[in-house]
Amino acid sequence: DAMVIQNPRYQVTQFGKPVTLSCSQTLNHNVMYWYQQKSSQAPKLLFHYYDKDFNNEADTPDNFQSRRPNTSFCFLDIRSPGLGDAAMYLCATSRAGGLTGELFFGEGSRLTVL
Amino acid sequence: AQKVTQAQTEISVVEKEDVTLDCVYETRDTTYYLFWYKQPPSGELVFLIRRNSFDEQNEISGRYSWNFQKSTSSFNFTITASQVVDSAVYFCALSERSSNTGKLIFGQGTTLQVKP
């Protein structure tokens, strides 16, 4: 059974039209991450939540926001998607902050911007 | 600065051949963790192995083996008797204890194609 579930798997949006991607987990992990992976590139961390504490990467554009209403769910909001935001967005969770444990990844949400 | 380098962008082998994927890392931390992940066409990143910086013992798991050498800052991954199902993108990654965020720094990935 999938432990990290991302919805939708595929999202098409128009330039500038806000989009929300969701991630849910059944692992009860306290850390949730959002990564952006562009075609043929390595995943790049956008931000993460350690419990309710939000940690933004320094180079994450303001266009990207996140919400974590409870332990199980985390959302990625892209306020005004540009063509350069087309990518696979990966959600991941970990129990020990990734330092000693492993990250569990969802299958990703592929975003297309028209 | 921390960095992970996977010099091989793409590798193509014929089924049953052995193949080694290279990974070289840079870090100033004395405590760190190294990982390998597999990304099949479905997109999910699948955890393969974690190694901490104090454990240089090589590991074998079925057809997979890993060679960790701190002297050369390398953490190479070998698939023995490759199969078509091994075709995927493989990422090597580094996590530093000092970052305190669990942030994974990924290499650029190596695309492995195993032909029947």
Side-chain angles (χ1 to χ4, degrees):
Chain A
D1 290 336
M3 296 176 286
V4 181
I5 302 168
Q6 293 188 240
N7 283 299
R9 291 289 312 281
Y10 301 92
Q11 175 74 58
V12 180
T13 190
Q14 291 181 332
F15 185 95
K17 186 173 181 182
V19 66
T20 295
L21 308 177
S22 74
C23 177
S24 64
Q25 54 136 336
T26 59
L27 299 164
N28 204 33
H29 285 171
N30 53 345
V31 188
M32 295 187 77
Y33 309 80
W34 278 105
Y35 280 83
Q36 178 192 61
Q37 186 180 21
K38 295 186 178 181
S39 181
S40 301
Q41 295 185 21
K44 178 181 175 298
L45 183 64
L46 294 174
F47 27 60
H48 77 278
Y49 275 93
Y50 201 122
D51 294 324
K52 294 183 179 180
D53 293 332
F54 177 71
N55 299 270
N56 200 28
E57 292 298 298
D59 56 354
T60 297
D62 293 339
N63 197 27
F64 292 88
Q65 304 287 319
S66 186
R67 296 169 283 134
R68 189 178 186 185
N70 54 53
T71 300
S72 302
F73 284 87
C74 194
F75 299 96
L76 170 62
D77 300 309
I78 308 176
R79 294 191 297 188
S80 182
L83 297 178
D85 297 327
M88 174 79 87
Y89 290 88
L90 295 162
C91 174
T93 72
S94 73
R95 184 177 58 216
L99 295 177
T100 56
E102 64 187 79
L103 268 62
F104 292 80
F105 284 87
E107 290 186 307
S109 293
R110 187 172 295 281
L111 177 67
T112 300
V113 182
L114 301 178
Chain B
Q2 61 274 30
K3 186 179 178 181
V4 177
T5 301
Q6 295 178 252
Q8 305 149 307
T9 305
E10 292 184 19
I11 301 176
S12 182
V13 299
V14 176
E15 208 170 17
K16 298 184 181 177
E17 285 185 18
D18 299 346
V19 58
T20 295
L21 309 180
D22 298 333
C23 174
V24 174
Y25 63 91
E26 295 176 28
T27 178
R28 293 178 182 169
D29 276 23
T30 55
T31 304
Y32 53 89
Y33 298 84
L34 296 166
F35 302 80
W36 275 96
Y37 281 85
K38 175 182 180 180
Q39 188 174 41
S42 62
E44 181 181 2
L45 279 163
V46 178
F47 168 84
L48 295 178
I49 189 172
R50 177 190 72 245
R51 220 0 142 231
N52 74 58
S53 52
F54 299 108
D55 182 4
E56 286 192 73
Q57 189 171 10
N58 292 330
E59 182 160 337
I60 298 174
S61 177
R63 296 184 297 107
Y64 296 169
S65 62
W66 291 269
N67 183 292
F68 176 28
Q69 292 194 347
K70 287 180 74 172
S71 61
T72 57
S73 297
S74 65
F75 186 43
N76 296 337
F77 172 32
T78 297
I79 301 174
T80 303
S82 60
Q83 299 176 2
V84 173
V85 293
D86 296 327
S87 298
V89 182
Y90 291 86
F91 288 97
C92 180
L94 166 73
S95 176
E96 296 174 320
R97 184 183 179 91
S98 63
S99 75
N100 204 32
T101 64
K103 173 181 177 178
L104 281 179
I105 301 154
F106 286 89
Q108 286 302 104
T110 297
T111 300
L112 174 65
Q113 183 180 33
V114 182
K115 298 178 180 178

